[in-house]
């Protein structure tokens, strides 16, 4: 297999300014990485609390990098000088690229992209960090479908090397080349999904495994700890599937399963009833303090 990095032509993205919409666990990480690489980055969320939490998290992670001597205090200040909060979507008009990382719901993403299309300058690329929603359909909600692309970062963004790139049916070669160059300029390795099918590459494989782990739990075959230990020790994964589900967010896992089930239409993708129950209970995982496991902080 060849990674895109090895095939890359030396295109420069020329992206100087970016905006991230959605300041949850993914949006905060994407904004941090862009700013750490010298790109002026605005962060917007419809929730002021989320924005505040994201800023606190970024500061905490930068401090941790200083403690580990990976960056200097001056690097931290430089990163923070490239970051700013946006009070309103209209503040993002001049960004060279907007990366969306809001809730995994098609209607919410379609509405947002339609608004961004009206607000942003004509050259702005509109990228989605969606885990499973059709980029082609998101693009169709705009009048610039050739400038819409999927940039699927992995969690936690500052640590994980991969960015999956998803071309919608309408994505232009120029948008693709610029976006791919950007991922490389911020130190990531892109791999491209050649077709815009639900879940692309990583989640098409990963999420059914997580869903199956919930079935194994529901059927009483093993405890959460046993399931995670078996998969860690038996398949050399750094984290078991249930712990990973808590990290991803059970609401996000369920949303992805539902999209697979509805759009691919095969019974093998039906969400596990236990996963549905956990989400109904508000047990969204680490971000909620309770998922399969309980978290102190
Ligand atoms: N969690 C993961 O491991 C992971 C990995 C890769 C991709 N993703 C994708 O990234 C996206 C975000 O996931 P997350 O885990 O960061 O979710 P999250 O719940 O942590 O954060 C979502 C944020 O979006 C905000 N938001 C919701 N609707 C909005 C709107 N219309 N306008 C502005 N802000 C809005 C919320 O206030 C919240 O702060 C999803 O599409 C998800 O599928 C998640």
């Amino acid at each position: 297999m060849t990674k895109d990095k090895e095939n890359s032509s030396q295109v420069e993205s020329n992206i100087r300014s970016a905006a991230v919409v959605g300041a949850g666990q993914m949006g905060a990480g994407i904004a941090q990485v862009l700013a750490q690489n010298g790109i002026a980055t605005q962060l917007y969320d419809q929730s002021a609390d989320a924005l505040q939490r994201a800023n606190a998290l970024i500061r905490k992670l930068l401090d941790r990098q200083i403690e580990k001597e990976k960056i200097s205090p001056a690097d931290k200040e430089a990163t923070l000088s490239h970051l700013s909060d946006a009070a309103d979507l209209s503040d993002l008009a001049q960004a060279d690229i907007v990366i969306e990382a809001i809730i995994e719901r098609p209607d919410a993403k379609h509405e947002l992209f339609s608004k961004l299309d009206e607000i942003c300058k004509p050259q702005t690329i509109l990228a989605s960090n969606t885990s499973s929603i059709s980029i082609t359909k998101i693009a169709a909600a705009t009048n610039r479908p050739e400038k819409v692309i999927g940039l699927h970062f992995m969690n936690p963004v500052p640590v994980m090397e991969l960015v999956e790139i998803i071309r919608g049916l309408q994505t232009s070669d120029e948008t693709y080349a610029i976006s791919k160059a950007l991922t490389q300029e911020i130190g990531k390795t892109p791999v491209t999904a050649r077709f815009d099918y639900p879940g692309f590459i990583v989640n098409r494989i990963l999420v059914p495994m997580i869903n199956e782990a919930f079935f194994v739990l529901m059927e009483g075959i093993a405890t959460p700890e046993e399931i995670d230990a078996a998969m860690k020790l038996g398949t050399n994964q750094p984290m078991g599937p249930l712990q990973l589900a808590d990290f991803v967010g059970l609401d996000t896992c369920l949303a992805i399963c539902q999209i697979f089930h509805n759009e691919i239409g095969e019974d093998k993708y039906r969400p596990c009833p236990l996963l549905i129950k956990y989400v109904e209970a508000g047990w969204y995982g680490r971000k909620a303090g309770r998922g399969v496991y309980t978290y102190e902080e």
Side-chain angles (χ1 to χ4, degrees):
M1 197 199 102
T2 49
K3 285 186 277 185
D4 287 355
K5 200 179 203 172
E6 287 147 23
N7 298 334
S8 74
S9 49
Q10 293 303 310
V11 179
E12 279 183 27
S13 76
N14 287 322
I15 297 236
R16 302 280 171 265
S17 63
V20 178
V21 180
Q25 49 183 348
M26 295 305 292
I30 296 167
Q32 180 186 331
V33 169
L34 290 166
Q36 276 193 294
N37 284 280
I39 297 171
T41 304
Q42 293 169 284
L43 186 54
Y44 171 79
D45 199 291
Q46 64 183 16
S47 147
D49 283 353
L51 208 48
Q52 214 175 0
R53 279 197 304 275
N55 278 299
L57 177 69
I58 292 170
R59 280 176 166 72
K60 192 168 126 187
L61 293 178
L62 291 172
D63 284 337
R64 210 175 282 167
Q65 288 187 355
I66 294 175
E67 279 163 29
K68 291 184 180 166
E69 297 185 353
K70 289 190 173 161
I71 63 169
S72 67
D75 293 331
K76 173 185 167 187
E77 290 316 312
T79 298
L80 293 177
S81 75
H82 291 123
L83 264 181
S84 59
D85 290 346
D88 196 272
L89 264 191
S90 59
D91 296 342
L92 314 184
Q94 295 307 316
D96 294 330
I97 187 168
V98 178
I99 302 178
E100 166 275 317
I102 67 166
I103 189 169
E104 186 73 350
R105 268 202 359 234
D107 55 339
K109 301 223 193 252
H110 297 160
E111 190 186 333
L112 175 66
F113 273 74
S114 161
K115 279 189 200 156
L116 288 171
D117 184 35
E118 281 173 22
I119 289 166
C120 295
K121 62 183 179 181
Q123 304 90 317
T124 304
I125 290 176
L126 303 179
S128 176
N129 185 50
T130 179
S131 304
S132 59
I133 296 170
S134 164
I135 298 298
T136 301
K137 215 159 159 186
I138 293 176
T142 74
N143 290 311
R144 62 177 87 191
E146 73 288 352
K147 293 205 177 301
V148 176
I149 194 161
L151 290 182
H152 184 217
F153 290 79
M154 303 292 130
N155 188 13
V157 182
V159 176
M160 300 297 281
E161 192 185 338
L162 176 68
V163 178
E164 228 177 342
I165 303 189
I166 304 98
R167 291 185 71 145
L169 209 54
Q170 318 94 317
T171 308
S172 69
D173 289 344
E174 186 190 25
T175 298
Y176 173 65
I178 293 172
S179 305
K180 183 172 155 187
L182 174 67
T183 63
Q184 292 168 323
E185 287 161 12
I186 60 173
K188 303 295 183 193
T189 300
V191 174
T192 303
R194 289 166 190 234
F195 296 106
D196 174 23
Y197 286 163
F200 321 126
I201 304 169
V202 173
N203 282 323
R204 178 75 180 272
I205 297 168
L206 187 65
V207 174
M209 183 189 73
I210 289 175
N211 194 39
E212 204 59 33
F214 276 93
F215 276 109
V216 172
L217 180 62
M218 187 178 78
E219 290 162 14
I221 295 168
T223 65
E225 291 79 7
E226 287 163 348
I227 291 167
D228 281 343
M231 291 303 288
K232 271 167 70 177
L233 301 174
T235 65
N236 240 0
Q237 299 181 34
M239 193 184 277
L242 295 173
Q243 191 188 358
L244 180 60
D246 273 0
F247 271 66
V248 170
L250 300 193
D251 53 335
T252 301
C253 292
L254 176 60
I256 298 171
C257 286
Q258 286 166 332
I259 285 167
F260 287 2
H261 197 211
N262 293 339
E263 295 195 7
I264 306 176
E266 289 182 26
D267 273 354
K268 70 175 179 179
Y269 296 114
R270 92 191 150 93
C272 175
L274 185 65
L275 172 60
I276 296 173
K277 279 287 160 234
Y278 278 28
V279 173
E280 283 174 354
W283 296 356
Y284 292 166
R286 194 183 51 159
K287 64 186 172 187
R290 171 92 205 241
V292 178
Y293 300 100
T294 306
Y295 301 85
E296 290 294 308
E297 210 178 297

